[in-house]
Amino acid sequence: MTNPTAAMLVIGDEILSGRTRESNMHYLAGELTRIGIALREVRVVADVHADIVAAVRELSARYAHLFTSGGIGPTHDDITADAVAEAMGARIGPRADAMALLQAHYDRAGLPFNEARQRMARIPDGATLIENPVSAAPGFTLGNVHVMAGVPNIFQAMVASVLPGLTGGPPLLSQSLRVNRGEGEIAEAFGALAAEFPDLSMGSYPFIQNGAHGTNLVVRGTDPARIDAAMVRLTQLFG
Amino acid sequence: MTNPTAAMLVIGDEILSGRTRESNMHYLAGELTRIGIALREVRVVADVHADIVAAVRELSARYAHLFTSGGIGPTHDDITADAVAEAMGARIGPRADAMALLQAHYDRAGLPFNEARQRMARIPDGATLIENPVSAAPGFTLGNVHVMAGVPNIFQAMVASVLPGLTGGPPLLSQSLRVNRGEGEIAEAFGALAAEFPDLSMGSYPFIQNGAHGTNLVVRGTDPARIDAAMVRLTQLFG
């Protein structure tokens, strides 16, 4: 059994200008790994319609799932829903169920459900809504594209409601060994070991602590027995 | 005068698995903005030769500069230099000047300059070395591709030595106004103002603090007088 693949598309000028530090990628990567979906690529693009359309087309065709983050609010720079609709060849317009839940939300809050807020009920035809327990405005799934808010706590809530509906593969497991030697010292033996375990992925991540070089060796795969076997060998070599 | 464009390519399984939180993107974005180079796209790909080659080809053709992060160490999973060479049609092999500076570094440290460490002297033909004041192993610039280490303090040192050699455009300026109202409340007037200033880019970023909704309104551009004019109007509207 293999692992389904996924990509992520982050939409937002604020990330590319350096104003905001992107944080949803790390969260999504961890959650997908846990359920056995392999995140293979992430892209960050600006709030430019043509760029979003092109990225959605390419990534949704290449991977089993595409998760997007950002650009579904009420302001003029929120253009993700329209771009996803165009990329997937769907029509888009205000949808009754989305209108109803937003109307109820603003009624409860005593705030006007004005034209800008009604924009958030624009959902492509054929999409399924993704619940937003924080601020009501829904995300949606259209085909294999899951469109979610960029605000981290809303993004996380939406991921939590989408993932249980997806079929993952075997969990992507990892174990690591921290060694107090530089990468260059362990590289040859580590590379030879990696070649012996072609079904696993092995990576080395150098660090410097108190002026001394060290390396974290990480073994990833889906078969716990094979990972254990590799860790035994690693510990014999460098432990 | 317009701003040169740039893309970034982050190479590393450890980011996509959720093991490591990517941090070089935020740093590079801020530095490029400061010198007037517009970061337009970021991609994160796995340690897979064909994926790196394809991304380097596409991004180096589309943007004025491409900055890469990660995969230039001594271990078997460090495959960036070879992938960049292939993407750019350059031959690659150990280079005398890179060998010399690594040899000197390991001699000073009293460590063997072994085969794995010699791998870090593999530099594509025609490239210029990028200095690494932390651990000696150089990055390189080949055509419009700047290849740098993934370890954050080394990445930052390499960026600091590359950027002064690049020609930027006018600095990309921004000002922001924090308003204690939700996005939906200001969206209509804010969108109308953005339409009046087509030479500027305006974005809104919602937040929730102590249970109350607020929005940061950000105005970006290169002409300080125009940004000031927009901020005066923004303050009149929402200040």
Side-chain angles (χ1 to χ4, degrees):
Chain A
M1 188 179 173
T2 57
N3 294 94
T5 60
M8 178 183 190
L9 178 64
V10 177
I11 294 136
D13 289 349
E14 73 278 20
I15 309 292
L16 294 172
S17 73
R19 181 183 175 278
T20 301
R21 190 184 287 273
E22 209 290 319
S23 65
N24 293 332
M25 170 166 72
H26 184 67
Y27 178 79
L28 182 65
E31 292 299 294
L32 291 177
T33 295
R34 205 172 47 74
I35 65 164
I37 293 179
L39 181 61
R40 288 276 185 80
E41 182 171 350
V42 178
R43 293 192 190 178
V44 185
V45 299
D47 301 333
V48 174
H49 181 80
D51 293 359
I52 304 171
V53 171
V56 169
R57 280 203 179 124
E58 202 178 323
L59 296 172
S60 68
R62 188 177 304 168
Y63 302 101
H65 295 283
L66 172 62
F67 299 85
T68 80
S69 161
I72 62 167
T75 54
H76 66 278
D77 57 335
D78 289 305
I79 59 177
T80 299
D82 284 80
V84 170
E86 182 174 327
M88 307 294 282
R91 286 189 314 178
I92 183 168
R95 207 166 89 172
D97 53 355
M99 288 290 271
L101 62 89
L102 283 162
Q103 176 85 63
H105 172 77
Y106 289 109
D107 285 352
R108 275 194 306 273
L111 292 169
F113 186 38
N114 60 23
E115 201 178 323
R117 288 173 171 140
Q118 288 173 32
R119 253 171 66 80
M120 297 190 287
R122 289 173 60 79
I123 303 288
D125 286 1
T128 308
L129 299 188
I130 299 174
E131 195 191 358
N132 173 351
V134 179
S135 56
F140 60 85
T141 293
L142 178 64
N144 65 342
V145 184
H146 311 284
V147 174
M148 300 180 288
V151 177
N153 63 331
I154 305 178
F155 179 84
Q156 292 177 19
M158 288 182 169
V159 167
S161 78
V162 167
L163 293 195
L166 305 183
T167 304
L172 295 160
L173 307 171
S174 71
Q175 286 192 48
S176 63
L177 180 70
R178 183 186 165 99
V179 302
N180 293 322
R181 306 190 214 175
E183 264 195 309
E185 209 171 313
I186 54 84
E188 199 178 326
F190 186 51
L193 188 68
E196 278 181 51
F197 289 83
D199 52 324
L200 302 178
S201 149
M202 298 197 195
S204 70
Y205 306 103
F207 61 85
I208 299 177
Q209 196 168 50
N210 302 326
H213 288 266
T215 308
N216 282 308
L217 304 176
V218 179
V219 177
R220 299 184 194 89
T222 53
D223 180 341
R226 289 286 290 167
I227 295 177
D228 284 345
M231 290 304 293
V232 168
R233 293 287 308 282
L234 264 188
T235 309
Q236 285 166 351
L237 284 169
F238 309 121
Chain B
M1 187 178 172
T2 58
N3 294 94
T5 58
M8 178 184 191
L9 178 64
V10 178
I11 294 137
D13 289 350
E14 72 279 19
I15 309 292
L16 294 171
S17 72
R19 180 184 176 277
T20 301
R21 189 183 288 272
E22 209 292 317
S23 65
N24 294 332
M25 170 165 75
H26 184 66
Y27 178 79
L28 182 65
E31 292 299 293
L32 291 177
T33 296
R34 205 173 47 73
I35 64 166
I37 292 179
L39 181 62
R40 288 277 185 79
E41 182 170 350
V42 178
R43 293 192 191 178
V44 186
V45 298
D47 301 334
V48 174
H49 181 80
D51 293 0
I52 304 171
V53 172
V56 169
R57 280 204 180 123
E58 201 178 324
L59 296 171
S60 68
R62 189 178 303 168
Y63 301 102
H65 295 283
L66 172 61
F67 299 85
T68 79
S69 161
I72 64 167
T75 54
H76 66 278
D77 57 336
D78 289 306
I79 58 176
T80 299
D82 284 81
V84 169
E86 180 173 329
M88 307 294 281
R91 285 189 315 176
I92 183 168
R95 209 166 87 171
D97 55 353
M99 287 291 271
L101 64 87
L102 283 161
Q103 177 85 63
H105 172 77
Y106 288 110
D107 284 352
R108 273 195 308 274
L111 292 169
F113 186 37
N114 59 24
E115 200 178 326
R117 288 175 173 138
Q118 289 172 31
R119 254 172 66 80
M120 297 189 286
R122 290 172 60 78
I123 303 287
D125 287 359
T128 308
L129 299 187
I130 300 174
E131 196 192 357
N132 173 351
V134 180
S135 56
F140 61 84
T141 293
L142 178 65
N144 65 343
V145 184
H146 311 283
V147 174
M148 299 179 289
V151 177
N153 63 331
I154 306 178
F155 180 83
Q156 293 176 18
M158 289 182 169
V159 168
S161 78
V162 168
L163 293 195
L166 306 182
T167 304
L172 295 159
L173 308 170
S174 70
Q175 286 193 48
S176 63
L177 180 70
R178 183 186 164 99
V179 303
N180 293 322
R181 307 190 213 175
E183 265 195 308
E185 209 171 312
I186 55 84
E188 199 176 327
F190 186 52
L193 188 68
E196 279 181 51
F197 289 83
D199 53 324
L200 302 177
S201 148
M202 298 196 194
S204 70
Y205 306 102
F207 61 85
I208 300 177
Q209 196 168 50
N210 301 327
H213 288 266
T215 308
N216 282 309
L217 304 176
V218 178
V219 177
R220 298 184 195 89
T222 53
D223 181 341
R226 288 286 289 167
I227 296 178
D228 284 346
M231 290 304 294
V232 167
R233 294 287 308 283
L234 264 188
T235 309
Q236 286 166 350
L237 284 167
F238 307 121

